[in-house]
Amino acid sequence: ASPSPPDTGLPLAAKVVSTLGMTELVFLRIADGHLVPLGGPDLPLARFAEAEAYLVVGPELEGFQAGSVVPFRSLPVPGSCR
C-alpha cells in the first residue's frame, strides 16, 4: 500500500536541521496552527507519544527555516486502526 498524500502545509514553529544526503523523518506536534518539531530518529519514547504528524526531509535538503510552510503527514490516532 502506498502512503497517503501529504496534508496541506503548515508553518514550522522552529527550524528543522537535517543532514545533507540523508532522508530524515522529523516528528511533529500541531499547536496554534504551527508544526512544532519534536525531534528525529533519536527522539525519546516519551516525546514520541506527543507526535501527531511527521515531516519527510529529502536528501537534497539541509532542513527548513522557522516559518517555512511545509507539507506533513498525520499519524494515526491511537485506537483508530482500520
Side-chain angles (χ1 to χ4, degrees):
S2 61
S4 60
D7 291 310
T8 303
L10 287 174
L12 287 168
K15 182 178 181 177
V16 169
V17 179
S18 178
T19 304
L20 194 59
M22 293 185 63
T23 299
E24 296 190 47
L25 296 181
V26 177
F27 294 97
L28 309 161
R29 184 170 49 85
I30 301 170
D32 299 323
H34 286 79
L35 299 171
V36 179
L38 298 174
D42 57 349
L43 185 69
L45 191 55
R47 293 282 290 172
F48 183 72
E50 299 175 27
E52 299 173 273
Y54 67 94
L55 165 65
V56 178
V57 183
E60 71 284 358
L61 300 171
E62 292 185 77
F64 298 97
Q65 294 296 320
S68 298
V69 176
V70 296
F72 63 96
R73 286 186 161 74
S74 295
L75 291 170
V77 177
S80 68
C81 296
R82 295 182 221 167

